[in-house]
Amino acid sequence: MGELAAFTILSALMLVPAVIVVTSRNIVRSALSLVPTFLGVTGFYIMLHAEYVAGIQVLIYAGAITVLILFVIMLTEGGSGTMVRQVTGQVPLGAMAAIWLAFLILVTLSRTTWPVARGELPSYSVQAIGTAFLTNYVLIFEVTSLVLLISLVGAIVIARREE
Amino acid sequence: MAWLLEILKAAALAVLIFTFLAVVGAMYGVYLERKISGWIQARIGPKHVGPYGLLQTVADTVKLLQKEHITPRRADALIFNTAPLIVAVAALLDWVVIPFGTGFGRVLVVRDINIGVLYFAAMASITVIGILAAGWASNNKYALLGGLRSASQMISYEIPLALGILWVAMIAGTLSTVGIVEAQRGGWFLFKVPPLGLLAAVLFLAAATAEVNRVPFDLPEAESELVAGYFAEYTGMRFALFQLGEYGEMFGMAALASVLFLGGWLEPNLPVWVWAALGVAALATAAYVRFSALRTVYLLRPITALAVLGAVLCGVMILGAVLGRSPVLPSLIWFFAKMFALVFFLMWMRWTYPRLRLDQLLNLSWKVLLPAGLLNLLLTGFLLTVAR
Amino acid sequence: MAVGLTHYLVISTILFCLGLFGVLTRRNAVAILMGIELMLNAGNINLVAFNRYVAPGAVSGQVFALVVITLAACEAAVGLALVMAAYRGLETIHVDEINLMKW
Amino acid sequence: MPKVVVDWLYVGVFAAVGIVLTVIPLVVVWLLAPRLSLPQKQLTYESGVIPFGQAWAQFNVRYYLFALIFVVFDVEVIYLYPWAVVFRDLGAFAFYEMLVFLLILFVGLIYAWRKGALEWV
């Protein structure tokens, strides 16, 4: 019983700010309401015993990406961001497309039978993730650093105009 | 039913830790700061309200309770009010993982989270959001600029902070704070892999000072620079909440530094003759300051008190060692002694170092601390695996 | 009754469609990036939920979720660099006003 | 109940209690303090000068560059934490893998350094 209560609280903590992110007229308010959404998602990771992913989610999403988004909002929009119309003309169209996609996914979800594992579910640890990264997924590990390098160099080239 | 019991226990602990943080951290942190800065500048500091001015900050808080809250025109009231909450709550959340000591047969920590130090770094990174929101919501050019500069300083110093923590995680082999302190039973990490331990400690302390926006890294809220930076528009109790957040974070960083590098609540197991030598040295300084020409100098009077206290401590340690009691003093005393020593060091730095300009400050982080941290990690990794 | 796999899948579908709605209807390029972040988070919830319920022994779901977080950060960085360049070049980041092929 | 869930339950309760305990003084101030909103009082403080123009002036792109480099190196820290915890048991090859990882990213830092992305001027 308690787990279901926790689940509903967390989904409320996540979905209400998510609606604000998507519909708020003030761009900074929608950026700041990203943070409770990410903390709600962190709560889900905790219920799924993925503790390291939850810590990283708080550190990177709530701490780095939201700061980056806030920086760009402050640098580009300045004052006009809050008074200007935020939505394009196709709101009903977009809403229909999103609802239709949600309906489609939910139907397929309910149809398929997921091979849920039985029995006691083990808990995870940072050591397991570290060993996985350094032994089974070494290629992903090294290629991700290349992706990071390329995105860093690319972003600097794009953002900085050659004076 | 078990959930309810757990939640009640957590709420009770939260109230306890919050009052400890608000009273010891914020109120007496401010009092300590004013007394120490007074002592360094050869003046007395608050002494009228209550014995030795102890109730000065209590009086300030009560005064703040009846100050009017002014919200600037066209400011975003919702964000304007939640920003101090974010900063204060983030400072409180740091204390979930810090182990205070051992008592009643178990480690006195709120919860020993498996990814303890990563959790601490994550909570420190949430404060930046509060500062940016405060700077933006107060509709004031200086506050916005102060918020942006303070945020860019804090994010620049988050990486060296993480590298300092990583070094300790590497040596200890675990992320949980209690595990790190247990791993230091053999020897404090400050003295592990001799030169690198000290380098990691200096790296962590510099980043922690910058993370808490204290001098020499407090440019964003420098009086001479930006009219108090991001909390320019905050009056009364909301400003006090920012102070609570800042001092809570400072005490949290000092506590974590003592857990990571000075062995948390562990007692330094020095041989008896070392304690004897320390005791004699302390007594010698006390006698010299007391009876030589320096006794007229008002500034040095607290030094005699400190030296005598040190001598008494060494005496107790020698007595304990002779009687064979392994933990001579209760572990709580060692934890608070180390924490307050680091807090004193942070406050002492405030009145001895000039303020860094913003570009020097950022250059120090990106061009000195970050490469030093990375090389430190690699060198220790090399020594621990390949060279062994 | 206990929280099963379908609970998480339903919640992540709702979050995904909210993100999609944001991407489709917002005028500000930064708001579109926020919608994309929501969709990536929804995907992450699915990854970790499957890892937990379908293959609890392995950690591959969580490793995948970490790589998705990394790529989301890179995507946000490059996307926002484009927004900065567009703002500097065209003085606007409203997507419906950016309709020139070359500026 | 598993340890992980109880640990973070404490974190959630700490956050909730923290918010309540920080809101209480604000409510007390709302009850006690006078509320006299004079127009002059609500002007933002510009060291005495009457504030003019928009508060949200635009700034140089260097703020963004620092946030960008921070995000990339913060993401690099994700891979350092598991490595730091586990590399002693794995032996030397884990160290060399991390050496390659860090060297590639060091190239990124050198690039940002030489291209002046780290300059504040």
Side-chain angles (χ1 to χ4, degrees):
Chain A
M1 206 296 292
E3 203 176 341
L4 194 62
F7 184 84
T8 42
I9 294 170
L10 279 177
S11 45
L13 171 71
M14 179 182 77
L15 289 180
V16 168
V19 171
I20 295 173
V21 164
V22 167
T23 55
S24 154
R25 218 175 308 290
N26 176 345
I27 188 81
V28 174
R29 188 167 294 183
S30 73
L32 282 174
S33 61
L34 269 180
V35 173
T37 312
F38 293 146
L39 295 184
V41 174
T42 314
F44 282 129
Y45 292 156
I46 294 298
M47 285 183 67
L48 292 166
H49 300 295
E51 194 167 16
Y52 182 68
V53 180
I56 287 298
Q57 160 96 358
V58 176
L59 184 74
I60 300 290
Y61 263 115
I65 293 184
T66 318
V67 167
L68 186 64
I69 289 177
L70 279 171
F71 262 74
V72 171
I73 287 175
M74 290 186 192
L75 294 187
T76 54
E77 272 312 290
S80 67
T82 48
M83 270 63 76
V84 177
R85 187 168 56 82
Q86 284 298 339
V87 280
T88 59
Q90 19 155 311
V91 167
L93 205 63
M96 249 190 351
I99 290 168
W100 175 249
L101 179 69
F103 175 70
L104 210 62
I105 295 177
L106 288 180
V107 162
T108 44
L109 275 191
S110 54
R111 284 254 177 69
T112 57
T113 58
W114 306 103
V116 177
R118 288 288 167 274
E120 174 42 39
L121 304 172
S123 75
Y124 303 96
S125 71
V126 189
Q127 281 80 359
I129 294 178
T131 341
F133 259 129
L134 293 171
T135 47
N136 311 348
Y137 302 107
V138 175
L139 184 61
I140 295 179
F141 181 73
E142 301 302 343
V143 166
T144 329
S145 75
L146 270 178
V147 166
L148 282 172
L149 173 66
I150 293 163
S151 68
L152 174 66
V153 168
I156 288 178
V157 164
I158 295 170
R160 263 179 102 263
R161 187 186 17 192
E162 298 312 319
E163 273 79 23
Chain B
M1 241 333 269
W3 287 76
L4 220 56
L5 194 65
E6 209 62 48
I7 289 176
L8 286 180
K9 225 162 49 159
L13 268 175
V15 171
L16 181 73
I17 296 277
F18 189 83
T19 43
F20 157 77
L21 201 64
V23 171
V24 172
M27 283 194 205
Y28 286 98
V30 170
Y31 169 75
L32 209 59
E33 173 118 51
R34 289 168 67 172
K35 266 296 188 190
I36 288 173
S37 46
W39 173 43
I40 289 176
Q41 297 162 357
R43 56 180 171 79
I44 300 172
K47 72 182 206 35
H48 292 301
V49 185
Y52 300 106
L54 276 170
L55 298 180
Q56 174 63 42
T57 28
V58 176
D60 291 349
T61 318
V62 171
K63 171 201 76 175
L64 281 178
L65 275 178
Q66 40 85 26
K67 274 275 192 304
E68 188 194 358
H69 273 189
I70 300 166
T71 313
R73 184 172 38 85
R74 271 195 320 116
D76 192 327
L78 181 67
I79 303 179
F80 188 75
N81 289 323
T82 46
L85 294 191
I86 299 173
V87 174
V89 168
L92 167 70
L93 285 177
D94 288 347
W95 287 82
V96 171
V97 279
I98 290 181
F100 289 91
T102 49
F104 319 110
R106 57 183 284 273
V107 177
L108 296 179
V109 65
V110 176
R111 286 306 293 190
D112 172 22
I113 297 182
N114 307 344
I115 53 164
V117 276
L118 170 61
Y119 166 83
F120 193 96
M123 287 309 136
S125 74
I126 288 190
T127 324
V128 182
I129 304 277
I131 286 174
L132 271 177
W136 170 272
S138 35
N139 185 12
N140 171 343
K141 280 196 274 295
Y142 295 125
L144 180 63
L145 200 53
L148 275 171
R149 291 160 72 120
S150 171
S152 54
Q153 169 198 321
M154 284 180 76
I155 58 177
S156 306
Y157 277 91
E158 247 178 66
I159 310 288
L161 190 82
L163 291 178
I165 291 177
L166 276 165
W167 187 86
V168 170
M170 227 157 75
I171 302 283
T174 163
L175 286 181
S176 101
T177 46
V178 177
I180 287 174
V181 172
E182 293 300 337
Q184 289 181 42
R185 282 207 188 282
W188 291 356
F189 282 161
L190 191 62
F191 312 115
K192 189 80 80 174
V193 187
L196 302 179
L198 202 61
L199 172 64
V202 164
L203 197 76
F204 180 84
L205 212 56
T209 323
E211 200 68 26
V212 174
N213 281 347
R214 282 193 65 83
V215 177
F217 302 102
D218 82 335
L219 184 98
E221 60 211 41
E223 295 71 22
S224 61
E225 201 85 9
L226 272 172
V227 184
Y230 54 87
F231 36 74
E233 286 304 318
Y234 281 86
T235 60
M237 188 39 101
R238 285 182 289 212
F239 178 74
L241 282 182
F242 271 112
Q243 290 297 332
L244 168 68
E246 212 179 285
Y247 277 92
E249 189 96 10
M250 176 176 84
F251 274 72
M253 285 294 179
L256 187 75
S258 80
V259 162
L260 292 181
F261 293 102
L262 302 177
W265 71 82
L266 295 180
E267 197 169 76
N269 39 31
L270 302 171
V272 177
W273 61 270
V274 170
W275 284 117
L278 282 174
V280 165
L283 278 180
T285 47
Y288 174 71
V289 168
R290 193 71 191 81
F291 300 113
S292 72
L294 288 177
R295 67 177 172 282
T296 57
V297 176
Y298 177 77
L299 189 63
L300 296 184
R301 201 152 289 158
I303 290 184
T304 52
L306 283 176
V308 166
L309 199 64
V312 164
L313 177 71
C314 297
V316 164
M317 291 307 288
I318 295 169
L319 192 67
V322 162
L323 293 181
R325 256 169 61 86
S326 66
V328 177
L329 289 173
S331 52
L332 271 173
I333 290 184
W334 287 109
F335 173 78
F336 282 113
K338 290 171 190 168
M339 187 177 83
F340 277 108
L342 281 170
V343 164
F344 173 79
F345 176 73
L346 287 176
M347 290 179 181
W348 182 15
M349 260 211 306
R350 174 172 184 177
W351 301 103
T352 46
Y353 281 97
R355 183 172 296 127
L356 283 176
R357 230 187 19 236
L358 195 56
D359 56 341
Q360 293 165 330
L361 189 127
L362 294 174
N363 284 348
L364 173 69
S365 158
W366 290 106
K367 296 177 182 168
V368 173
L369 292 186
L370 180 60
L374 288 176
L375 291 182
N376 189 6
L377 279 187
L378 285 181
L379 204 56
T380 323
F382 180 77
L383 291 178
L384 286 184
T385 51
V386 176
R388 197 161 36 138
Chain C
M1 47 99 175
V3 180
L5 177 61
T6 48
H7 288 78
Y8 289 102
L9 298 183
V10 165
I11 286 293
S12 73
T13 316
I14 297 171
L15 186 65
F16 184 85
C17 292
L18 273 175
L20 182 68
F21 174 74
V23 167
L24 293 179
T25 58
R26 296 289 278 194
R27 221 168 139 233
N28 189 333
V30 181
I32 291 175
L33 274 172
M34 287 191 230
I36 294 172
E37 295 299 331
L38 288 186
M39 293 159 79
L40 284 165
N41 264 332
N44 267 350
I45 293 179
N46 273 1
L47 281 171
V48 178
F50 280 129
N51 181 50
R52 175 80 183 136
Y53 284 104
V54 175
V59 243
S60 45
Q62 294 183 22
V63 163
F64 210 103
L66 285 175
V67 173
V68 165
I69 289 180
T70 317
L71 295 181
C74 294
E75 173 263 336
V78 174
L80 291 170
L82 285 171
V83 165
M84 292 293 289
Y87 183 76
R88 198 176 50 247
L90 301 165
E91 293 305 323
T92 170
I93 51 170
H94 289 310
V95 214
D96 47 15
E97 286 161 12
I98 305 175
N99 42 31
L100 309 171
M101 281 307 288
K102 187 178 178 316
W103 70 70
Chain D
M1 280 187 302
K3 177 179 181 308
V4 173
V5 176
V6 176
D7 283 354
W8 287 77
L9 172 71
Y10 270 66
V11 171
V13 171
F14 259 60
V17 168
I19 288 172
V20 166
L21 288 181
T22 35
V23 161
I24 285 175
L26 294 181
V27 168
V28 167
V29 165
W30 188 69
L31 296 174
L32 285 181
R35 280 189 294 284
L36 178 62
S37 60
L38 300 171
Q40 298 78 1
K41 216 190 281 191
Q42 290 196 331
L43 286 179
T44 54
Y45 177 70
E46 311 245 334
S47 55
V49 174
I50 302 298
F52 57 89
Q54 268 296 355
W56 293 291
Q58 273 71 42
F59 303 100
N60 199 304
V61 77
R62 61 184 184 282
Y63 285 106
Y64 165 73
L65 287 175
F66 276 101
L68 164 74
I69 299 166
F70 161 66
V71 166
V72 170
F73 278 94
D74 211 12
V75 163
E76 170 208 343
V77 160
I78 297 184
Y79 298 95
L80 280 171
Y81 271 108
W83 170 73
V85 167
V86 89
F87 84 105
R88 268 169 46 164
D89 326 333
L90 289 183
F93 72 91
F95 170 73
Y96 291 123
E97 279 161 8
M98 183 47 82
L99 189 65
V100 169
F101 185 88
L102 285 182
L103 284 185
I104 292 176
L105 277 161
F106 212 71
V107 166
L109 182 67
I110 301 296
Y111 172 82
W113 194 329
R114 287 195 48 78
K115 292 294 281 186
L118 293 181
E119 298 310 320
W120 183 262
V121 78

